[in-house]
Amino acid sequence: MNDLVSILTPTYNTEKFIRSTIESAQNQIYTNWEMILVDDASADNTVAIIEEFVKKDSRIKLFKLPQNRGNGFARNAALEKATGKYIAYLDADDLWFPEKLEKQIHFLKANNLHFTFSFYDSIDEDGNDLNRRVESPNPLTYKQLFFCNYVGNLTAIYDADYFGKIILETSQKRQDWRIWLTILKQIKIAKPVPESLAFYRIRKDSVSSSKFKLIKHNFGVYREFHRYNFLFSVLLMTRFLFTQLIIKSKYIKKI
């Protein structure tokens, strides 16, 4: 059955990247998808570029926020508009391989799964391949995910008919990790498609490029999402940092 996939893409001042991102969705071998872009009051030409695609491809839908509300709010707004059985995430600066959706949907159905993700490669801000592949444990358990986010946001797909639409508080950072934790708390184990199906763009101004911000936001997952007290959250962060720096590094491969 050729089920509809809803691709969620929040945008904010991404005129440099958004054209390539949309084209990577259009280039999918699996064609039954809708791409829901929610623009978070961009001040550049992002909206104008998206509108060019909207005029030519009815699968691409644009919604504009009247004022800047943050990436989490825009992603939730996109999710509310989604009508597909499957929810997929594609940030406005990342790229998918053409076979990405086809392989993942087949993998879900063949293995009777409701959630999956894949490995991914890294590119720099200008699109140059960094020859680095990020993999994950296979299978991935809830305990492993608890101490490290092994799931690349741009690779994840979940069955909204099974889980419902997973909407989290927009004020909380690391929203993607919280979604995967919510899912794995229910299903216990997740299986990735064991190959790279996407390009993650590393930008100089991204949260992931700032180690201090990353530590702060990850600490917030233990403190706010799991609601542990301050001291226990500090203890968990110690384990998190060990996992991130020592264990996860083993899953980052040169290619």
Side-chain angles (χ1 to χ4, degrees):
M1 186 175 180
N2 197 23
D3 292 304
L4 179 67
V5 178
S6 293
I7 305 167
L8 310 186
T9 304
T11 66
Y12 177 69
N13 291 346
T14 54
E15 62 179 4
K16 182 178 178 181
F17 314 110
I18 191 60
R19 188 180 300 277
S20 296
T21 298
I22 296 174
E23 288 174 346
S24 79
Q26 288 183 313
N27 291 335
Q28 291 300 298
I29 297 171
Y30 188 96
T31 59
N32 191 24
W33 51 262
E34 61 176 2
M35 187 175 194
I36 302 173
L37 299 108
V38 174
D39 185 74
D40 195 21
S42 291
D44 63 1
N45 291 320
T46 298
V47 168
I49 294 170
I50 297 172
E51 287 176 338
E52 293 177 20
F53 287 93
V54 171
K55 292 176 183 177
K56 299 176 182 178
D57 192 334
S58 62
R59 298 173 298 177
I60 300 172
K61 304 167 185 179
L62 170 64
F63 300 92
K64 295 177 281 187
L65 299 180
Q67 60 184 23
N68 184 265
R69 301 293 299 273
N71 188 70
F73 187 94
R75 183 179 287 127
N76 278 350
L79 181 57
E80 290 175 354
K81 301 289 185 181
T83 62
K85 173 179 172 62
Y86 294 108
I87 303 296
Y89 298 87
L90 178 59
D91 284 344
D93 51 2
D94 295 331
L95 305 171
W96 283 351
F97 295 3
E99 64 272 20
K100 195 263 188 191
L101 287 181
E102 182 185 57
K103 287 192 173 183
Q104 286 193 279
I105 298 301
H106 174 75
F107 187 79
L108 285 166
K109 293 179 181 297
N111 294 281
N112 194 29
L113 302 174
H114 303 287
F115 170 74
T116 192
F117 59 104
S118 77
F119 306 156
Y120 60 91
D121 295 347
S122 301
I123 55 176
D124 67 15
E125 192 158 346
D126 297 318
N128 299 308
D129 196 335
L130 296 176
N131 299 314
R132 189 184 78 163
R133 178 160 297 163
V134 181
E135 301 183 355
S136 74
N138 185 11
L140 174 67
T141 67
Y142 177 80
K143 183 177 180 180
Q144 289 171 313
L145 185 69
F146 184 85
F147 288 110
C148 184
N149 183 15
Y150 288 100
V151 180
N153 184 62
L154 71 165
T155 74
I157 293 180
Y158 74 83
D159 184 343
D161 287 348
Y162 184 83
F163 295 106
K165 293 182 178 181
I166 303 173
I167 298 178
L168 299 177
E169 293 181 30
T170 59
S171 61
Q172 297 176 339
K173 301 297 183 181
R174 294 312 308 267
Q175 193 181 47
D176 56 337
W177 188 18
R178 298 167 197 252
I179 293 172
W180 322 144
L181 285 164
T182 299
I183 289 173
L184 259 73
K185 194 169 186 178
Q186 182 172 341
I187 63 175
K188 308 306 180 186
I189 292 176
K191 295 180 180 180
V193 177
E195 61 180 288
S196 178
L197 295 175
F199 282 116
Y200 173 74
R201 192 184 304 270
I202 298 176
R203 294 169 58 184
K204 297 175 184 176
D205 60 347
S206 67
V207 171
S208 59
S209 68
S210 170
K211 291 182 174 59
F212 175 76
K213 287 183 179 179
L214 202 57
I215 290 172
K216 177 182 176 182
H217 296 329
N218 287 325
F219 178 78
V221 172
Y222 295 119
R223 192 79 173 93
E224 301 163 5
F225 181 71
H226 294 293
R227 301 188 183 282
Y228 294 124
N229 64 45
F230 180 82
L231 289 178
F232 192 51
S233 295
V234 171
L235 180 64
L236 292 172
M237 271 303 296
T238 302
R239 173 72 180 272
F240 170 89
L241 290 172
F242 173 80
T243 304
Q244 185 76 19
L245 297 174
I246 306 300
I247 298 177
K248 188 177 182 179
S249 63
K250 297 177 182 179
Y251 292 97
I252 300 175
K253 309 292 180 63
K254 290 185 177 180
I255 55 174

